[in-house]
DNA sequence: CAACAATGTAGACTATGACAACAATGGTGT
DNA sequence: ACACCATTGTTGTCATAGTCTACATTGTTG
């Protein structure tokens, strides 16, 4: 019923795209290789040529996720001008936006992070913006000195935690912005080197 | 091969106990009802009498998890004496301990939270300690005034985020205590009503 | 002690992931 | 041009899982 040529042409990309949609709409546990193949219009064995097993597809999905997250963080950072606090708020908001919009994907990104080396690297690239941010803050004296990653981790953890609370439904989505703003203010006050 | 009576006696509890172990050791996605039944020594259909489907078992698991978490938080709170900061640090540490030791279970607890009403209540009971804590802090002036849940959420989010970072392997487990201490200090500095 | 509810068993059905053998296609070197 | 071969899809099979239904055993209660 289709005049699709024997070779799909870019099956791998098509599978990933469809998988990302399914994950967003119905979660990771509902993602089936066979259903994916059906939706894309290939036989149930075809995906195997591109992903040895289900986990490999999930890993690829996670890697693409880090790619996109990195882009969005960078964009938010750049868009905010030179002011440190503005950049901080913009970047934090961007992270939370991603985390709540693609909660299942983020979960995947965090979960898969143990295994693949390429994932490690993708994650580090995505988070490099945060490190830059912290370094600027320290240079301007808005943040206490010290290892940038140590200070950054506390900020990162807070933002990540807020996203988790909203995602889990423990906090309503409407309170997201308020909460992020609170946390950022908190962070800035708590980080300023004691007067 | 067994003289086990036809009726197990407390199948439900046995299933939950075994399930909790499996989840801790191999994660949620590896939990199989049939395998569970085998391990407990009943037929593959037996669990159905106690849990209509797989999700029901997971919900029960989550509820038990909240029960235990609540107990551990309460215990940490009580053990710490009357001092606010001591209580704060003790409780935060207890939460992170639970979250990293039973990461998969916590994930379950967060994920299932949408659906069941009994879960909602179990969660609220477990987290009531945190609210108490915040209220004490505000009464003593260590924390800024305002809605207790709003302030508490920022703290909670941070602790939760730290646990997530460690669980995901983005931060090594050795840095856990250091990070929690940092975050707590941060939180206290950031929360004190501006001098 | 006779019904009846609760609990466990056995078998069937469908779906999935993984694997292997086979088919079609596209590119490459001569 | 064409034979060869790597790539990519297809088809069939297997083991396992979740769920459902019919049936068996046991405990309880009037």
């Amino acid at each position: 019923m289709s005049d699709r040529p024997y070779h799909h042409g870019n099956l791998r990309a098509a599978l990933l795209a469809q998988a990302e949609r399914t994950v967003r709409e119905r979660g990771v546990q509902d993602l089936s290789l066979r259903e994916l193949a059906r939706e894309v219009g290939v036989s149930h064995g075809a995906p195997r040529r591109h992903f040895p097993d289900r986990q490999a597809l999930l890993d690829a999905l996670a890697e693409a996720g880090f790619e996109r997250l990195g882009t969005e963080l960078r964009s938010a950072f750049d868009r905010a001008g030179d002011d440190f606090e503005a950049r901080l708020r913009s970047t934090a908001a961007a992270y939370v936006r991603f985390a709540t919009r693609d909660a299942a994907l983020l979960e995947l990104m965090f979960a898969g992070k143990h295994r693949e080396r390429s994932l490690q690297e993708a994650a580090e690239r995505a988070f490099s913006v945060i490190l830059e941010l912290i370094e600027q803050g320290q240079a301007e004296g808005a943040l206490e000195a010290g290892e940038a990653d140590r200070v950054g981790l506390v900020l990162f953890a807070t933002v990540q935690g807020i996203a988790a609370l909203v995602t889990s439904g423990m906090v309503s989505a409407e309170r997201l912005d308020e909460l992020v703003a609170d946390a950022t203010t908190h962070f800035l006050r708590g980080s300023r080197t004691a007067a």
Side-chain angles (χ1 to χ4, degrees), chain A residues 46-58:
Chain A
R48 196 154 206 280
R49 294 293 166 200
H50 302 274
F51 308 100
D53 58 14
R54 197 182 118 104
Q55 187 56 49
L57 192 160
L58 296 185

PDB file of all heavy atoms in Angstrom, chain A residues 46-58:
ATOM      1  N   ALA A  46      13.498  -4.145  11.381  1.00  0.00           N
ATOM      2  CA  ALA A  46      14.332  -3.106  10.767  1.00  0.00           C
ATOM      3  C   ALA A  46      15.109  -2.243  11.768  1.00  0.00           C
ATOM      4  O   ALA A  46      16.299  -1.975  11.550  1.00  0.00           O
ATOM      5  CB  ALA A  46      13.466  -2.235   9.865  1.00  0.00           C
ATOM      6  N   PRO A  47      14.482  -1.818  12.844  1.00  0.00           N
ATOM      7  CA  PRO A  47      15.204  -0.939  13.771  1.00  0.00           C
ATOM      8  C   PRO A  47      16.523  -1.525  14.251  1.00  0.00           C
ATOM      9  O   PRO A  47      17.459  -0.803  14.585  1.00  0.00           O
ATOM     10  CB  PRO A  47      14.212  -0.785  14.927  1.00  0.00           C
ATOM     11  CG  PRO A  47      12.879  -0.937  14.311  1.00  0.00           C
ATOM     12  CD  PRO A  47      13.065  -1.977  13.245  1.00  0.00           C
ATOM     13  N   ARG A  48      16.565  -2.847  14.273  1.00  0.00           N
ATOM     14  CA  ARG A  48      17.748  -3.514  14.791  1.00  0.00           C
ATOM     15  C   ARG A  48      19.008  -3.124  14.016  1.00  0.00           C
ATOM     16  O   ARG A  48      20.129  -3.198  14.539  1.00  0.00           O
ATOM     17  CB  ARG A  48      17.534  -5.025  14.701  1.00  0.00           C
ATOM     18  CG  ARG A  48      18.492  -5.832  15.522  1.00  0.00           C
ATOM     19  CD  ARG A  48      17.857  -7.166  15.890  1.00  0.00           C
ATOM     20  NE  ARG A  48      18.427  -7.675  17.106  1.00  0.00           N
ATOM     21  CZ  ARG A  48      19.598  -8.293  17.151  1.00  0.00           C
ATOM     22  NH1 ARG A  48      20.310  -8.428  16.074  1.00  0.00           N
ATOM     23  NH2 ARG A  48      20.060  -8.739  18.303  1.00  0.00           N
ATOM     24  N   ARG A  49      18.867  -2.768  12.759  1.00  0.00           N
ATOM     25  CA  ARG A  49      20.036  -2.368  11.960  1.00  0.00           C
ATOM     26  C   ARG A  49      20.648  -1.083  12.484  1.00  0.00           C
ATOM     27  O   ARG A  49      21.802  -0.784  12.242  1.00  0.00           O
ATOM     28  CB  ARG A  49      19.628  -2.153  10.506  1.00  0.00           C
ATOM     29  CG  ARG A  49      19.172  -3.394   9.794  1.00  0.00           C
ATOM     30  CD  ARG A  49      20.312  -4.356   9.633  1.00  0.00           C
ATOM     31  NE  ARG A  49      19.831  -5.689   9.244  1.00  0.00           N
ATOM     32  CZ  ARG A  49      20.551  -6.774   9.409  1.00  0.00           C
ATOM     33  NH1 ARG A  49      21.747  -6.703   9.956  1.00  0.00           N
ATOM     34  NH2 ARG A  49      20.078  -7.939   9.043  1.00  0.00           N
ATOM     35  N   HIS A  50      19.843  -0.297  13.193  1.00  0.00           N
ATOM     36  CA  HIS A  50      20.331   1.009  13.653  1.00  0.00           C
ATOM     37  C   HIS A  50      20.536   1.044  15.154  1.00  0.00           C
ATOM     38  O   HIS A  50      21.359   1.813  15.639  1.00  0.00           O
ATOM     39  CB  HIS A  50      19.353   2.095  13.222  1.00  0.00           C
ATOM     40  CG  HIS A  50      19.124   2.147  11.754  1.00  0.00           C
ATOM     41  ND1 HIS A  50      19.936   2.861  10.899  1.00  0.00           N
ATOM     42  CD2 HIS A  50      18.207   1.538  10.969  1.00  0.00           C
ATOM     43  CE1 HIS A  50      19.512   2.700   9.649  1.00  0.00           C
ATOM     44  NE2 HIS A  50      18.462   1.896   9.662  1.00  0.00           N
ATOM     45  N   PHE A  51      19.768   0.219  15.852  1.00  0.00           N
ATOM     46  CA  PHE A  51      19.923   0.150  17.305  1.00  0.00           C
ATOM     47  C   PHE A  51      19.922  -1.311  17.727  1.00  0.00           C
ATOM     48  O   PHE A  51      18.892  -1.977  17.640  1.00  0.00           O
ATOM     49  CB  PHE A  51      18.787   0.905  17.989  1.00  0.00           C
ATOM     50  CG  PHE A  51      18.604   2.303  17.490  1.00  0.00           C
ATOM     51  CD1 PHE A  51      17.606   2.605  16.578  1.00  0.00           C
ATOM     52  CD2 PHE A  51      19.453   3.324  17.910  1.00  0.00           C
ATOM     53  CE1 PHE A  51      17.446   3.895  16.096  1.00  0.00           C
ATOM     54  CE2 PHE A  51      19.299   4.610  17.434  1.00  0.00           C
ATOM     55  CZ  PHE A  51      18.289   4.905  16.525  1.00  0.00           C
ATOM     56  N   PRO A  52      21.038  -1.812  18.184  1.00  0.00           N
ATOM     57  CA  PRO A  52      21.191  -3.223  18.540  1.00  0.00           C
ATOM     58  C   PRO A  52      20.099  -3.700  19.486  1.00  0.00           C
ATOM     59  O   PRO A  52      19.630  -4.826  19.380  1.00  0.00           O
ATOM     60  CB  PRO A  52      22.550  -3.287  19.223  1.00  0.00           C
ATOM     61  CG  PRO A  52      23.262  -2.059  18.823  1.00  0.00           C
ATOM     62  CD  PRO A  52      22.256  -1.044  18.432  1.00  0.00           C
ATOM     63  N   ASP A  53      19.715  -2.873  20.406  1.00  0.00           N
ATOM     64  CA  ASP A  53      18.614  -3.240  21.291  1.00  0.00           C
ATOM     65  C   ASP A  53      17.896  -1.974  21.760  1.00  0.00           C
ATOM     66  O   ASP A  53      18.285  -0.854  21.426  1.00  0.00           O
ATOM     67  CB  ASP A  53      19.102  -4.078  22.482  1.00  0.00           C
ATOM     68  CG  ASP A  53      20.139  -3.329  23.275  1.00  0.00           C
ATOM     69  OD1 ASP A  53      20.284  -2.110  23.077  1.00  0.00           O
ATOM     70  OD2 ASP A  53      20.833  -3.957  24.089  1.00  0.00           O
ATOM     71  N   ARG A  54      16.874  -2.196  22.531  1.00  0.00           N
ATOM     72  CA  ARG A  54      16.045  -1.080  22.983  1.00  0.00           C
ATOM     73  C   ARG A  54      16.863  -0.023  23.723  1.00  0.00           C
ATOM     74  O   ARG A  54      16.704   1.180  23.526  1.00  0.00           O
ATOM     75  CB  ARG A  54      14.956  -1.632  23.904  1.00  0.00           C
ATOM     76  CG  ARG A  54      13.795  -0.701  24.118  1.00  0.00           C
ATOM     77  CD  ARG A  54      12.803  -1.326  25.096  1.00  0.00           C
ATOM     78  NE  ARG A  54      12.694  -0.498  26.276  1.00  0.00           N
ATOM     79  CZ  ARG A  54      11.651   0.304  26.514  1.00  0.00           C
ATOM     80  NH1 ARG A  54      10.659   0.354  25.685  1.00  0.00           N
ATOM     81  NH2 ARG A  54      11.626   1.053  27.595  1.00  0.00           N
ATOM     82  N   GLN A  55      17.754  -0.480  24.575  1.00  0.00           N
ATOM     83  CA  GLN A  55      18.532   0.452  25.374  1.00  0.00           C
ATOM     84  C   GLN A  55      19.370   1.368  24.488  1.00  0.00           C
ATOM     85  O   GLN A  55      19.578   2.540  24.797  1.00  0.00           O
ATOM     86  CB  GLN A  55      19.426  -0.319  26.346  1.00  0.00           C
ATOM     87  CG  GLN A  55      20.154   0.567  27.336  1.00  0.00           C
ATOM     88  CD  GLN A  55      19.186   1.436  28.135  1.00  0.00           C
ATOM     89  OE1 GLN A  55      18.208   0.959  28.677  1.00  0.00           O
ATOM     90  NE2 GLN A  55      19.452   2.744  28.180  1.00  0.00           N
ATOM     91  N   ALA A  56      19.861   0.816  23.388  1.00  0.00           N
ATOM     92  CA  ALA A  56      20.680   1.624  22.480  1.00  0.00           C
ATOM     93  C   ALA A  56      19.865   2.781  21.917  1.00  0.00           C
ATOM     94  O   ALA A  56      20.362   3.901  21.779  1.00  0.00           O
ATOM     95  CB  ALA A  56      21.211   0.748  21.359  1.00  0.00           C
ATOM     96  N   LEU A  57      18.619   2.515  21.610  1.00  0.00           N
ATOM     97  CA  LEU A  57      17.754   3.590  21.115  1.00  0.00           C
ATOM     98  C   LEU A  57      17.553   4.636  22.203  1.00  0.00           C
ATOM     99  O   LEU A  57      17.637   5.840  21.954  1.00  0.00           O
ATOM    100  CB  LEU A  57      16.415   3.012  20.673  1.00  0.00           C
ATOM    101  CG  LEU A  57      15.520   3.950  19.863  1.00  0.00           C
ATOM    102  CD1 LEU A  57      14.485   3.155  19.089  1.00  0.00           C
ATOM    103  CD2 LEU A  57      14.801   4.950  20.745  1.00  0.00           C
ATOM    104  N   LEU A  58      17.318   4.169  23.413  1.00  0.00           N
ATOM    105  CA  LEU A  58      17.115   5.110  24.515  1.00  0.00           C
ATOM    106  C   LEU A  58      18.362   5.966  24.723  1.00  0.00           C
ATOM    107  O   LEU A  58      18.268   7.169  24.966  1.00  0.00           O
ATOM    108  CB  LEU A  58      16.776   4.341  25.802  1.00  0.00           C
ATOM    109  CG  LEU A  58      15.467   3.554  25.762  1.00  0.00           C
ATOM    110  CD1 LEU A  58      15.172   2.938  27.118  1.00  0.00           C
ATOM    111  CD2 LEU A  58      14.318   4.435  25.315  1.00  0.00           C
TER     112      LEU A  58
END
